[in-house]
């Protein structure tokens, strides 16, 4: 793994669309947005999500890059406040323009105000929360399966189960049925099934943010199935004439993302190296 503090050259994307996106970002950094997933991209995936923390080089790299581009947005399925705490973003030098879009964009935290804006919880979430333990028991969820209450969403993790993948597959259909009964949808991830309100995903959040900021180039980095919507959003923006670059934080668990990426890097350490290289490449030319 490379050092985040080194001055590595920016890696070259393997696709022409990716090279065009990178060229646009480097040519006009002050008009570029960088969007980043949190878990698996800025932070290593760990068995207990409460123990996830940003890679030690993430905040220093972002602190160098953020003042030199239009904006950095962290787009995550976690509640915004949790991502801010686990990321160590609050009060970090150079990150006063950072935005965290939590719960797939339903929540927004701005570093400038330090406040979270969020809608009222969907009533279906409370109903699902109450019924979930019985549904898991009925369908033989093995020991180690556990429920994460996200406030405005509920997630079922199978990573610590005796057979994580088999348990994940066994729970797909019953959790889809439970979600549908209460007007929610299921967002699958890396050995996690999240039940949440419809109408918001990382793609919707990213396109809305790019349009609000008036960005003329976009880079998005992710590692999981939930990031496919953001990848599709960048592809759509490209069709509309906004150059974009797709980065996969090298996951062997989610090969769909790696296949669609313009550049695959070596996990969060690789993402940090990329952010550091971009900061060095754009210098102080953000205009």
């Amino acid at each position: 793994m490379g050092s985040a503090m080194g001055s590595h050259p920016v890696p070259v994307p393997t696709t022409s669309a990716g090279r065009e996106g990178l060229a646009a970002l480097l040519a006009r950094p002050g008009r570029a947005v960088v969007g980043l997933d949190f878990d698996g991209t800025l932070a290593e995936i760990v068995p207990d999500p409460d123990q996830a923390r940003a890679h030690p080089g993430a905040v220093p790299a972002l602190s160098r890059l953020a003042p030199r581009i239009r904006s950095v947005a962290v787009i995550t399925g976690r509640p915004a406040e949790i991502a801010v705490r686990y990321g160590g973003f609050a009060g970090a030098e150079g990150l006063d323009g950072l935005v965290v879009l939590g719960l797939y964009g339903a929540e927004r935290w701005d570093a400038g105000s330090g406040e979270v804006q969020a809608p009222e919880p969907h009533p279906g979430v409370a109903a699902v929360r109450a019924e979930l333990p019985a549904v898991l028991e009925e369908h033989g969820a093995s020991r180690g399966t556990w429920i994460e209450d996200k406030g405005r969403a509920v997630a079922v993790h199978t990573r610590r189960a005796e057979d994580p993948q088999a348990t994940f597959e066994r729970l797909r259909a019953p959790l889809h049925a439970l979600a549908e009964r209460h007007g929610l949808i299921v967002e699958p991830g890396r050995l996690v099934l999240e039940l949440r309100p419809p109408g918001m995903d990382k793609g919707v959040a990213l396109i809305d943010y790019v349009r609000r900021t008036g960005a003329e180039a976009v880079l998005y980095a992710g590692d999981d199935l939930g990031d496919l919507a953001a990848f599709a959003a960048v592809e759509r923006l490209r069709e509309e004439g906004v150059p974009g670059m797709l980065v996969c934080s090298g996951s062997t668990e989610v090969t769909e993302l790696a296949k669609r990426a313009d550049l695959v890097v070596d996990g969060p350490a690789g993402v940090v190296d990329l952010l550091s290289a971009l900061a060095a490449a754009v210098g102080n030319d953000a205009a």
Side-chain angles (χ1 to χ4, degrees):
M1 306 254 180
S3 164
M5 300 305 290
S7 54
H8 303 292
V10 179
V12 179
T14 57
T15 65
S16 58
R19 289 190 291 273
E20 186 182 332
L22 176 60
L25 188 156
L26 296 177
R28 298 183 300 281
R31 298 177 186 179
V33 162
V34 170
L36 301 155
D37 169 47
F38 185 71
D39 292 279
T41 302
L42 288 177
E44 296 286 354
I45 294 286
V46 290
D48 180 355
D50 288 339
Q51 300 303 313
R53 295 295 182 271
H55 183 284
V59 167
L62 287 170
S63 294
R64 290 193 299 278
L65 178 62
R68 298 170 176 176
I69 64 174
R70 173 66 56 91
S71 180
V72 172
V74 175
I75 308 176
T76 174
R78 285 187 184 268
E81 208 166 14
I82 297 289
V84 170
R85 193 171 351 134
Y86 291 179
F89 302 136
E93 188 180 349
L95 292 188
D96 29 334
L98 180 76
V99 168
V100 176
L101 303 174
L103 296 177
Y104 303 92
E107 294 184 341
R108 175 181 170 130
W109 175 87
D110 288 272
S113 67
E115 293 175 359
V116 174
Q117 297 173 310
E120 287 298 309
H122 188 291
V125 175
V128 160
R129 189 182 296 120
E131 292 181 34
L132 203 45
V135 170
L136 294 183
E137 188 174 350
E138 179 188 345
H139 292 277
S142 60
R143 206 175 58 172
T145 302
W146 65 284
I147 299 167
E148 179 188 7
D149 187 348
K150 294 187 170 187
R152 290 177 173 79
V154 185
V156 176
H157 294 261
T158 68
R159 187 171 290 275
R160 298 193 303 220
E162 286 162 17
D163 189 338
Q165 192 63 44
T167 306
F168 177 86
E169 295 301 339
R170 188 160 67 248
L171 291 176
R172 269 182 183 262
L175 292 189
H176 271 280
L178 174 64
E180 197 172 317
R181 206 157 60 238
H182 296 291
L184 304 183
I185 61 169
V186 175
E187 180 81 49
R190 290 165 72 173
L191 299 175
V192 58
L193 293 157
E194 183 166 317
L195 292 78
R196 63 179 181 83
M200 184 54 87
D201 61 34
K202 290 185 180 183
V204 174
L206 181 60
I207 283 183
D208 179 63
Y209 193 70
V210 166
R211 289 187 173 145
R212 278 195 205 191
T213 56
E216 295 176 12
V218 59
L219 179 153
Y220 183 81
D223 75 303
D224 204 350
L225 292 169
D227 296 305
L228 285 170
F231 270 37
V234 171
E235 290 161 354
R236 180 174 157 194
L237 287 165
R238 284 170 172 171
E239 289 170 7
E240 296 175 7
V242 178
M245 178 176 165
L246 296 168
V247 178
C248 177
S249 176
S251 162
T252 52
E253 289 181 16
V254 186
T255 53
E256 298 100 308
L257 219 63
K259 287 175 188 167
R260 281 173 70 174
D262 304 308
L263 178 69
V264 178
V265 298
D266 189 12
V271 172
V272 167
D273 279 347
L274 173 62
L275 296 173
S276 296
L278 287 171
V282 298
N284 294 306
D285 300 329

